[in-house]
Amino acid sequence: MRDFRCRYENKALEVLVAAPTVVNPDIDLTTAGELAQQLRVDSVRSSTSAGSGHPTSSMSAADLLAVLVTRHLRYDWDDPANPDNDHLIFSKGHASPLLYSVYKAVGVVSDEQLMTEYRRFGSRLEGHPTPELPWVDVATGSLGQGLPDGVGIALAGKYVEQAPYRVWVLCGDSEMAEGSMWEAIDKASYYKLSNLVAIVDVNRLGQRGPTELSWDTDTYRRRAAAFGARVVVIDGHDLGEIDRAMREAQEDGHSQPTVIVARTKKGRGFSEVEDKENWHGKPLPPEMAERAIDELGGERHLTVRGPKPGATTRPAHPGAAAAGVKLPVYAVGDKVATRKAYGQALAAIGARRDVVAMDGEVSNSTYADQFAQEYPERYFEMFIAEQQLVAAAVGFSARGFKPFASTFAAFFTRAYDFIRMASISRAHIKLVGSHAGVEIGADGPSQMALEDLAMLRAVHGSTVLYPSDATSAAALVATMADLDGVSYLRTTRGAYPVLYGPDEEFPVGGAKVLRRSDHDQVTLIGAGVTLHECLTAADQLKADGIAARVIDLYSVKPIDTGTLTAAAAATGGRIVVAEDHHPEGGLGSAVVDALTRAGRAELSVRHLAVREMPGSGTSAELLNAAGINAAHIAAAARELAR
Amino acid sequence: MRDFRCRYENKALEVLVAAPTVVNPDIDLTTAGELAQQLRVDSVRSSTSAGSGHPTSSMSAADLLAVLVTRHLRYDWDDPANPDNDHLIFSKGHASPLLYSVYKAVGVVSDEQLMTEYRRFGSRLEGHPTPELPWVDVATGSLGQGLPDGVGIALAGKYVEQAPYRVWVLCGDSEMAEGSMWEAIDKASYYKLSNLVAIVDVNRLGQRGPTELSWDTDTYRRRAAAFGARVVVIDGHDLGEIDRAMREAQEDGHSQPTVIVARTKKGRGFSEVEDKENWHGKPLPPEMAERAIDELGGERHLTVRGPKPGATTRPAHPGAAAAGVKLPVYAVGDKVATRKAYGQALAAIGARRDVVAMDGEVSNSTYADQFAQEYPERYFEMFIAEQQLVAAAVGFSARGFKPFASTFAAFFTRAYDFIRMASISRAHIKLVGSHAGVEIGADGPSQMALEDLAMLRAVHGSTVLYPSDATSAAALVATMADLDGVSYLRTTRGAYPVLYGPDEEFPVGGAKVLRRSDHDQVTLIGAGVTLHECLTAADQLKADGIAARVIDLYSVKPIDTGTLTAAAAATGGRIVVAEDHHPEGGLGSAVVDALTRAGRAELSVRHLAVREMPGSGTSAELLNAAGINAAHIAAAARELAR
């Protein structure tokens, strides 16, 4: 590791160098200007010392951040958990050198950390910000997500917390090409999020050349205005203009989000790179960094603090408390769709004040409308914008809520990047996808989730649940509320018999054995509609004199390896897995992975899954065509047991 | 199945009922009006007969389609392969009753088919349109995709085919909440796609209630205009206004896409449902359908044909022909990144006139810029809009091209819904994702693809390739051009030694055995960076006296089951799989699934994968921390061989 920092001295501003001294909160623009130069210098120093990073993308926004942090962002840096702190999100997460330089400037990260830990192994100062740092709400780095996440936080602040905080989001100009940014501005205006301020750093240059709109700030203005924002176009290097725009953004008497379109120059302040192509994502070589620091007026070590939020009496997080939750009760044998049980259970756990819900304009299909009717103040319609749907959940999670987001399971594929990033954000979000698999029938493959289990299982730290009846669905919904990480519940369109009484428990990582004898010859494993098919198949097999063990694999991840290995051992390794999902990455894969991990026994597995492209038809026709109904399960079992 | 159609008679327009008679192409608006009523009646009849479907969403757009099909859409219904045919895409795919009623009206689907096949098992008249029908370019039904797909077709027509065709896309108002629609309009204006016409059916009502913008056509107008479209706002039930708007859209002398914002009423024409809530996606009950048909003037069986394209001499598809492709040649042992080999091979196969390429603003990282430099006329910069990136590829595929779309592998998660739908579209697209796994180093997890193999394997009919060296990467790029379906190539950031000479062949579904002896004790399986780690581990093991077989699993799907079972048999079932991916759904899963399917003997598998959330660091540090480097592979092998 280069000890790069030792090569520079503070040259110009010694009088201001005062390690933990806090400058008057009412910092003037001259000082902000000095801070801006410090942020640039530190962005150069940190990235050069790391040997990678994005100094030029940081330098363009340094003036914006200097004015924001010294004069507008209300943040108690000694208490990041203060519920009234403003929120600062770098949607352009690659400008992490700037963010971490801000942290140095407010005194929560030392210069030494900045110079020795940035982008290093084991450090919290990662290449792109993550909530491993207490001042970071959400992970960014996949562009077009910070602003949608910010919409979620602003929704929480305005509608549920009734908190005074503002959400400030620094956006790149390149990421304005992501549709998700427009989903965010649209929802921000729909929900009148006057507490949200997006600052677009229009530095004209993307990674491989000019951006689509270059410095056409008027087009950005017209677009953001048409999407319902109050827009201010400024010179992003004019401290007075920046200050005025940020003050205006906080003025009362309006009900719109603010978008500050700031014309800037990439690499601002160092003539060798300023507004030059081919300097994206490249640290300056050491000798060049030296010249840059000279031109920027030398190293500085200002410590500054801006305004703090006022005193608060609110708790840091909404409590779970409130009236006891009474889950719906179902009579064994009644036919109830698991998606309906989801809605009813969600409405039941709505008694907890920390539960919020949102849906992508299909709440009458997912049954999220049951919650919306009971708790309209904690329900948020996201319309058909699944990326913003998941991002809103991430934002609510950042504020300590338990967000449930629902849509058709197939349409969560629209938000996979957001789900992946939610995991990196250490967000605790609860996704509920209805209309799984070919079981949905006539609507055809565009509406059939056949990849969702694979997609969700592959997310780090995820929990994947797939109940087969209303009792287990309701119980798992209640359990999900307190799960960490990304959890996913897959529900089914059709109504199938209730299998369990109300006192049955469904621990995450468990499984239920629904048929068992001392002489089982084969194990049948299913979940959702295929579990019901397995039960029917077991009855058919019994008539043939074949005893089959049947397992309800309601917890796909984590999986109940013990129950699986016991069943495999008891049935001579003969296993039929049936799933309403493509063959890769779903139930079958989870079962085989678990058994393989558990040891080296011989296995004879028949894996029934959706292997051809389905079309329309009835549920029964499609289950049969896919080879995952009772007849096919029984046939596979007979073949194994032969 | 109800024989619903027999209950109605043609009541009003017998004079016009003339089965395969083609009305003069210059059909007047009175006839178009009659046709519109027929389309409504048939939308009601077909959905009632099917017992499901979206009649009210069809009725709102019937006037638009009647005018379009009779007077503006230039389409030779007897020759859907005519390369100069216009394209008609229902981005609101749920209005399939309307689309299929149009097909009846032009005489390519019979009334009997409409009434007995719609949404039935085995029929091509699926719940949402798919290219199983020769007049359908792309599958729709996941909202917000038809317009982006249409942008791809319009790009092909304007820039590569230089064809006279127009692309007409019927959009729903609900789907305007999808960011992807704005990515599409943005790209359409950036590329001056004057051959693209989006018709937005603003019927005010979504699935569960009013849309976000209701009938606020002015906001739609301002948004589309700000995004660069020429916008016309019309009464979508005024045939004259519709006709004028569609004529204007075709006028020369402008370089913008057109957006026709049409104010309509859902369920138009039947007073019991017109502009009423709670009628989304519901067929009318039979007795209600009877009243509807009465109110609409009764059944009609008009057959009409609009204008045809002029005579053409162009072939239906661009030929692959042109100069022979000379793939780049690499010297064994040289260090070359597979992403670089991708760019070089892509530039080489660019000699084929049917190869086109596009990238999401990272072409200098994916090396797609190598192609862009050679063939700028067939390269399309999509900026940071991965949904539109994949949709453009789907559109090019619909026109018979071989589209290669590249970005960081992690960011294809942004477009998973588009990839899933590409499979349903029977599109042949080639996706290439760079910067896989923790190997990328300091940038951190937001940039690391760790779910991409699981995601792509789960797509129906997909091919998943993961080369470890430049020779195999280049060969597989050439092979991909002619693969059917969705194919995916995963490339690596760093440069690693070339393993194969230029004459080696890499069939899809194959694998390479790089180390083999008669007394192998353990099999090591890797791909990408982990294959190189496996080779190093094998050397270390050899020094310990342990012979290891090493397999390059460059074809993850389909997989070489024969090579795997042979290796398992030869090494006592002792297998180490190492992958730079989360443990679910990737290499390990593919190997275990294949061996299980093959009827598995006892196996002892050690599956090394990325099981913790990575941070920043060097490639070596992160591979070690994840437990997937040579040292961990050798340790796992030693444990097995003990």
Side-chain angles (χ1 to χ4, degrees):
Chain A
M1 189 158 31
R2 271 171 291 182
D3 190 5
F4 183 77
R5 73 191 184 287
C6 303
R7 303 181 55 197
Y8 300 100
E9 297 165 82
N10 181 358
K11 287 176 183 157
L13 278 162
E14 281 175 348
V15 66
L16 286 167
V17 173
T21 307
V22 175
V23 177
N24 189 305
D26 204 4
I27 296 165
D28 65 23
L29 289 179
T30 309
T31 309
E34 290 300 335
L35 176 64
Q37 293 297 78
Q38 171 175 318
L39 297 175
R40 289 189 171 95
V41 168
D42 287 345
S43 296
V44 168
R45 292 169 67 226
S46 57
S47 51
T48 294
S49 77
S52 72
H54 298 74
T56 57
S57 304
S58 297
M59 293 159 86
S60 59
D63 296 313
L64 296 164
L65 264 288
V67 175
L68 174 60
V69 168
T70 51
R71 295 168 61 91
H72 301 287
L73 184 83
R74 287 174 297 185
Y75 199 97
D76 184 348
W77 293 99
D78 297 323
D79 181 16
N82 184 323
D84 290 346
N85 278 340
D86 278 1
H87 295 266
L88 173 60
I89 298 173
F90 267 42
S91 195
K92 53 177 289 188
H94 56 286
S96 57
L98 176 61
L99 183 62
Y100 303 156
S101 296
V102 165
Y103 293 160
K104 170 193 146 180
V106 298
V108 295
V109 162
S110 71
D111 191 72
E112 164 138 10
Q113 287 177 304
L114 194 62
M115 297 300 294
T116 61
E117 296 185 10
Y118 179 50
R119 287 178 164 254
R120 310 307 200 279
F121 181 72
S123 160
R124 299 181 307 169
L125 300 180
E126 296 186 30
H128 294 78
T130 77
E132 289 287 285
L133 293 165
W135 320 284
V136 174
D137 290 298
V138 293
T140 52
S142 179
L143 289 170
Q145 300 208 17
L147 187 61
D149 292 346
V151 166
I153 295 176
L155 280 171
K158 176 151 185 158
Y159 290 97
V160 192
E161 299 186 84
Q162 279 94 30
Y165 62 71
R166 285 194 170 72
V167 183
W168 304 84
V169 185
L170 179 68
C171 308
D173 49 353
S174 275
E175 68 178 323
M176 301 309 283
E178 288 281 15
S180 57
M181 296 300 273
W182 300 99
E183 293 182 14
I185 300 176
D186 175 54
K187 287 301 165 300
S189 70
Y190 180 81
Y191 280 108
K192 303 185 192 307
L193 298 180
S194 51
N195 55 346
L196 179 74
V197 187
I199 306 164
V200 186
D201 177 20
V202 185
N203 66 21
R204 190 186 75 82
L205 292 172
Q207 170 173 325
R208 45 124 287 294
T211 61
E212 200 172 353
L213 291 177
S214 188
W215 272 325
D216 181 0
T217 50
D218 192 55
T219 294
Y220 286 114
R221 183 189 57 72
R222 284 185 298 119
R223 291 184 180 186
F227 272 72
R230 197 166 62 149
V231 189
V232 196
V233 179
I234 60 169
D235 174 347
H237 300 309
D238 180 319
L239 301 180
E241 283 192 33
I242 297 169
D243 194 53
R244 210 154 37 241
M246 291 181 177
R247 202 175 319 125
E248 278 172 29
Q250 299 172 73
E251 276 165 8
D252 288 338
H254 70 98
S255 60
Q256 290 172 286
T258 299
V259 172
I260 298 174
V261 177
R263 187 187 199 274
T264 63
K265 289 184 177 171
K266 200 158 175 170
R268 169 74 169 188
F270 179 39
S271 51
E272 294 181 39
V273 300
E274 183 174 303
D275 194 34
K276 298 268 200 307
E277 292 197 30
N278 298 316
W279 278 104
H280 180 92
K282 292 178 186 165
L284 305 184
E287 63 288 356
M288 208 171 161
E290 197 154 0
R291 293 196 298 276
I293 295 166
D294 279 347
E295 190 174 332
L296 289 162
E299 226 178 274
R300 297 163 178 80
H301 296 285
L302 274 169
T303 301
V304 297
R305 292 265 171 118
K308 281 189 197 184
T312 185
T313 53
R314 297 190 308 113
H317 291 294
V325 166
K326 282 212 182 87
L327 286 181
V329 170
Y330 304 101
V332 172
D334 281 3
K335 287 190 175 178
V336 184
T338 51
R339 59 181 170 132
K340 190 160 197 175
Y342 164 62
Q344 293 172 334
L346 184 67
I349 66 169
R352 293 175 55 158
R353 287 194 312 260
D354 57 353
V355 169
V356 296
M358 53 220 72
D359 190 274
E361 220 276 311
V362 290
S363 59
N364 54 340
S365 287
T366 60
Y367 284 101
D369 60 0
Q370 306 271 317
F371 180 94
Q373 284 153 21
E374 290 283 327
Y375 301 101
E377 73 282 7
R378 277 186 272 128
Y379 174 79
F380 299 89
E381 178 57 59
M382 288 291 134
F383 298 94
I384 306 185
E386 294 81 6
Q387 297 183 108
Q388 181 57 65
L389 172 70
V390 172
V394 170
F396 273 106
S397 170
R399 294 302 309 139
F401 290 94
K402 313 293 189 186
F404 284 78
S406 51
T407 183
F408 281 27
F411 302 143
F412 276 120
T413 55
R414 196 61 156 261
Y416 194 26
D417 198 17
F418 286 76
I419 297 170
R420 175 183 82 86
M421 289 295 296
S423 161
I424 303 176
S425 285
R426 281 70 172 169
H428 311 305
I429 62 172
K430 299 99 188 30
L431 307 178
V432 179
S434 67
H435 291 72
V438 303
E439 192 270 351
I440 67 161
D443 273 330
S446 64
Q447 321 291 302
M448 295 171 176
L450 290 165
E451 306 84 359
D452 57 322
L453 296 175
M455 168 175 94
L456 267 302
R457 280 182 67 233
V459 171
H460 177 71
S462 66
T463 301
V464 178
L465 305 169
Y466 187 10
S468 300
D469 88 329
T471 301
S472 53
L476 291 168
V477 169
T479 301
M480 279 175 92
D482 294 310
L483 290 181
D484 280 348
V486 174
S487 54
Y488 175 61
L489 185 88
R490 188 188 218 216
T491 68
T492 302
R493 181 175 185 272
Y496 296 90
V498 173
L499 301 170
Y500 304 102
D503 297 329
E504 190 85 24
E505 293 189 351
F506 298 89
V508 169
K512 296 287 173 190
V513 181
L514 284 173
R515 296 277 192 282
R516 182 205 312 254
S517 75
D518 291 339
H519 50 280
D520 290 338
Q521 293 163 266
V522 60
T523 301
L524 313 181
I525 302 175
V529 65
T530 62
L531 177 66
H532 294 276
E533 299 294 328
C534 285
L535 290 168
T536 305
D539 293 342
Q540 295 172 359
L541 291 166
K542 195 174 183 181
D544 298 349
I546 299 173
R549 182 164 299 195
V550 178
I551 295 178
D552 173 359
L553 201 72
Y554 68 82
S555 181
V556 183
K557 179 187 174 188
I559 197 165
D560 186 346
T561 305
T563 293
L564 294 175
T565 51
T571 61
R574 289 181 290 274
I575 295 175
V576 180
V577 187
E579 61 180 314
D580 197 354
H581 186 275
H582 286 319
E584 299 85 3
L587 287 190
S589 185
V591 167
V592 169
D593 283 354
L595 289 171
T596 303
R597 217 164 41 237
R600 54 183 289 128
E602 280 190 35
L603 289 179
S604 298
V605 178
R606 292 291 175 274
H607 181 198
L608 311 183
V610 182
R611 293 177 190 274
E612 301 298 329
M613 179 62 71
S616 290
T618 64
S619 188
E621 286 166 339
L622 294 169
L623 291 169
N624 183 50
I628 57 173
N629 66 355
H632 285 89
I633 295 167
R638 274 186 212 103
E639 204 182 300
L640 284 179
R642 225 174 14 211
Chain B
M1 188 159 28
R2 271 172 292 182
D3 189 7
F4 182 79
R5 72 190 183 288
C6 302
R7 303 181 54 197
Y8 300 100
E9 296 164 84
N10 182 359
K11 287 175 182 159
L13 278 163
E14 281 172 350
V15 66
L16 287 167
V17 174
T21 306
V22 174
V23 177
N24 189 306
D26 205 3
I27 296 166
D28 64 22
L29 289 179
T30 308
T31 309
E34 290 301 336
L35 175 63
Q37 294 298 79
Q38 170 174 317
L39 297 176
R40 289 189 170 95
V41 168
D42 287 345
S43 295
V44 167
R45 292 170 67 229
S46 57
S47 52
T48 294
S49 77
S52 70
H54 299 74
T56 57
S57 304
S58 297
M59 294 158 86
S60 59
D63 296 313
L64 296 164
L65 264 289
V67 175
L68 175 60
V69 167
T70 52
R71 295 169 60 90
H72 301 287
L73 185 83
R74 287 175 297 183
Y75 199 97
D76 183 349
W77 294 100
D78 297 322
D79 181 16
N82 183 324
D84 290 346
N85 278 340
D86 278 0
H87 294 267
L88 173 60
I89 298 174
F90 268 42
S91 195
K92 52 176 292 188
H94 55 285
S96 57
L98 176 61
L99 182 63
Y100 303 155
S101 297
V102 165
Y103 293 159
K104 169 192 147 180
V106 297
V108 295
V109 162
S110 71
D111 191 72
E112 165 139 11
Q113 287 177 304
L114 194 62
M115 297 303 293
T116 60
E117 297 185 10
Y118 179 49
R119 288 179 163 253
R120 309 310 200 277
F121 181 72
S123 161
R124 299 181 307 168
L125 301 180
E126 297 187 28
H128 294 77
T130 77
E132 289 287 286
L133 293 165
W135 319 285
V136 174
D137 291 297
V138 293
T140 52
S142 179
L143 290 171
Q145 300 206 18
L147 187 60
D149 291 347
V151 166
I153 295 176
L155 280 172
K158 176 152 186 160
Y159 290 98
V160 193
E161 300 185 84
Q162 278 93 31
Y165 62 71
R166 285 195 170 70
V167 183
W168 304 85
V169 185
L170 179 68
C171 309
D173 48 353
S174 276
E175 68 179 325
M176 300 308 284
E178 288 281 15
S180 57
M181 297 298 272
W182 301 98
E183 293 182 14
I185 300 177
D186 175 53
K187 287 301 166 297
S189 70
Y190 180 81
Y191 280 108
K192 304 186 191 308
L193 298 180
S194 51
N195 55 345
L196 180 75
V197 187
I199 306 163
V200 187
D201 177 20
V202 185
N203 67 20
R204 189 185 76 81
L205 292 172
Q207 170 174 325
R208 43 127 287 292
T211 61
E212 200 172 353
L213 291 177
S214 188
W215 272 326
D216 181 1
T217 50
D218 192 55
T219 293
Y220 286 114
R221 184 189 58 72
R222 285 185 298 118
R223 291 184 180 187
F227 272 71
R230 197 166 62 147
V231 189
V232 197
V233 179
I234 60 169
D235 174 348
H237 301 309
D238 181 319
L239 302 180
E241 283 193 33
I242 296 169
D243 194 53
R244 211 153 36 240
M246 290 180 177
R247 201 175 320 124
E248 278 172 29
Q250 299 172 74
E251 277 165 8
D252 287 338
H254 71 97
S255 60
Q256 290 172 285
T258 299
V259 173
I260 298 174
V261 178
R263 187 187 200 273
T264 64
K265 287 183 177 172
K266 201 159 176 168
R268 169 74 169 190
F270 179 39
S271 52
E272 293 181 40
V273 301
E274 183 174 304
D275 194 33
K276 298 265 200 307
E277 293 196 30
N278 298 318
W279 278 104
H280 180 93
K282 292 177 187 167
L284 305 184
E287 63 288 354
M288 207 169 164
E290 198 153 1
R291 294 196 298 277
I293 294 165
D294 280 347
E295 189 174 332
L296 289 163
E299 224 176 279
R300 296 163 178 82
H301 297 285
L302 274 170
T303 301
V304 296
R305 291 263 173 119
K308 281 189 194 182
T312 184
T313 53
R314 297 190 308 113
H317 291 294
V325 167
K326 283 212 182 85
L327 288 180
V329 170
Y330 304 100
V332 172
D334 280 4
K335 287 190 174 178
V336 184
T338 51
R339 61 181 169 131
K340 191 160 197 176
Y342 164 62
Q344 293 171 336
L346 184 66
I349 65 169
R352 293 175 55 157
R353 287 194 310 263
D354 58 352
V355 169
V356 296
M358 52 220 71
D359 190 275
E361 220 276 311
V362 290
S363 59
N364 54 340
S365 288
T366 60
Y367 284 99
D369 60 0
Q370 306 271 316
F371 180 93
Q373 284 152 22
E374 291 283 328
Y375 302 101
E377 72 283 6
R378 278 187 270 128
Y379 175 80
F380 299 89
E381 178 56 59
M382 287 292 135
F383 298 94
I384 305 185
E386 294 82 5
Q387 296 182 112
Q388 181 58 66
L389 172 70
V390 172
V394 169
F396 274 106
S397 170
R399 293 302 309 138
F401 290 93
K402 313 292 188 185
F404 284 79
S406 51
T407 182
F408 282 27
F411 303 142
F412 276 119
T413 56
R414 195 62 155 262
Y416 194 26
D417 198 17
F418 286 75
I419 298 170
R420 174 182 82 86
M421 290 296 295
S423 162
I424 303 175
S425 285
R426 282 68 171 171
H428 311 304
I429 62 172
K430 299 97 187 35
L431 308 178
V432 180
S434 67
H435 293 72
V438 303
E439 192 270 350
I440 67 161
D443 273 330
S446 64
Q447 321 291 301
M448 295 171 177
L450 291 165
E451 305 85 0
D452 57 322
L453 296 175
M455 168 174 95
L456 268 302
R457 281 183 67 233
V459 171
H460 177 70
S462 66
T463 301
V464 178
L465 305 169
Y466 186 9
S468 301
D469 88 329
T471 301
S472 53
L476 292 168
V477 169
T479 301
M480 279 175 92
D482 294 310
L483 289 181
D484 280 348
V486 174
S487 54
Y488 175 61
L489 184 88
R490 188 189 218 215
T491 68
T492 303
R493 181 175 185 272
Y496 296 89
V498 172
L499 301 169
Y500 303 103
D503 297 330
E504 191 86 24
E505 293 189 350
F506 298 89
V508 168
K512 296 288 174 189
V513 181
L514 285 172
R515 297 276 193 281
R516 183 207 309 255
S517 76
D518 292 338
H519 49 279
D520 290 337
Q521 293 165 267
V522 61
T523 301
L524 313 181
I525 301 174
V529 64
T530 62
L531 177 66
H532 294 275
E533 299 294 329
C534 285
L535 290 168
T536 305
D539 292 342
Q540 294 173 1
L541 291 164
K542 195 173 183 184
D544 297 351
I546 299 173
R549 182 164 298 197
V550 178
I551 296 177
D552 172 359
L553 200 73
Y554 67 84
S555 181
V556 182
K557 180 187 174 188
I559 197 165
D560 186 347
T561 305
T563 293
L564 294 175
T565 50
T571 61
R574 288 180 291 274
I575 295 174
V576 180
V577 187
E579 62 180 314
D580 197 354
H581 186 274
H582 286 320
E584 299 86 4
L587 287 190
S589 185
V591 167
V592 169
D593 284 354
L595 289 170
T596 303
R597 213 162 47 235
R600 72 187 235 186
E602 289 191 10
L603 285 181
S604 297
V605 177
R606 291 291 175 277
H607 181 197
L608 312 183
V610 181
R611 294 178 189 272
E612 301 298 329
M613 179 62 72
S616 290
T618 65
S619 188
E621 285 166 341
L622 294 169
L623 291 168
N624 183 52
I628 58 175
N629 65 356
H632 285 89
I633 295 167
R638 274 187 212 104
E639 206 182 298
L640 284 179
R642 230 183 358 220

